[in-house]
Amino acid sequence: MDFDFSPLLGSWRFLAAGLWLTVLLSITAVIASFVFGLAVALGRLYGPAWLKAVLVFYIDSMRAIPVFVVLVWIYFAVPIISGYTFAPFWAALTGITIHVAAYVAEVIRAGLTSIRKGQIQAGLAIGMSNSQILRHILLPQAIVRMLPAFGSIISVTIKDTAIAAVIAVPELMRQAETLAGQSYRPIEIFTTVMVIYFLIIFPVTRLVDRFYTRVAHLGRS
């Protein structure tokens, strides 16, 4: 079998545009998921009973539905129901955010509830409000404890962006599929894409793990 990487060399700008969109979608989805997930976690922990029930249903639903189905439903079904059409990028961002935020919320909830109740009682005893206890006692320790799980969520989110190809988002995987169809060189192209994803995700996970190793003592109580 002969390998020919000339289609990649001749179309590197085409793939680079897809790579840029993958990076943009990944960063935006990670930030949006963490912000939304934090709000969901706090609502589940400190909100009224009716809100907790709604958020539990949302979390369990997202964990029971594949992200592929969520993206396809938002892109194809929402316009029929609401009359509003999402651009492919925004449909992908919305779907990935809604899906990943459910996992982020559970990680944050677990991190906050892992702090010993004695520290909360001590904060109340010295006159701290619930919000002050959250900001100054719970979150600083919980964030450190959550770092390994956050690293996994970041890597999963980056990988999930490849699914956006099914709704025509011109990210890296979509561009690779187009180029492979035009050049009839799927082995060379998809192998290159696999290496690119590895070069993006592996350093991210190692960086998070190394950072956690350095600050792990701050999460002990």
Side-chain angles (χ1 to χ4, degrees), residues 42-62:
L42 295 180
R44 182 174 178 182
L45 286 173
Y46 305 110
W50 66 265
L51 180 60
K52 292 180 181 180
V54 171
L55 294 179
V56 168
F57 177 76
Y58 154 70
I59 292 171
D60 290 345
S61 297
M62 287 300 102

Side-chain angles (χ1 to χ4, degrees), residues 37-91:
L38 175 61
V40 171
L42 295 180
R44 182 174 178 182
L45 286 173
Y46 305 110
W50 66 265
L51 180 60
K52 292 180 181 180
V54 171
L55 294 179
V56 168
F57 177 76
Y58 154 70
I59 292 171
D60 290 345
S61 297
M62 287 300 102
R63 294 196 296 177
I65 302 173
V67 64
F68 174 87
V69 177
V70 175
L71 262 64
V72 170
W73 191 85
I74 289 175
Y75 187 65
F76 291 104
V78 169
I80 298 174
I81 297 172
S82 66
Y84 178 79
T85 301
F86 280 94
F89 177 87
W90 294 108

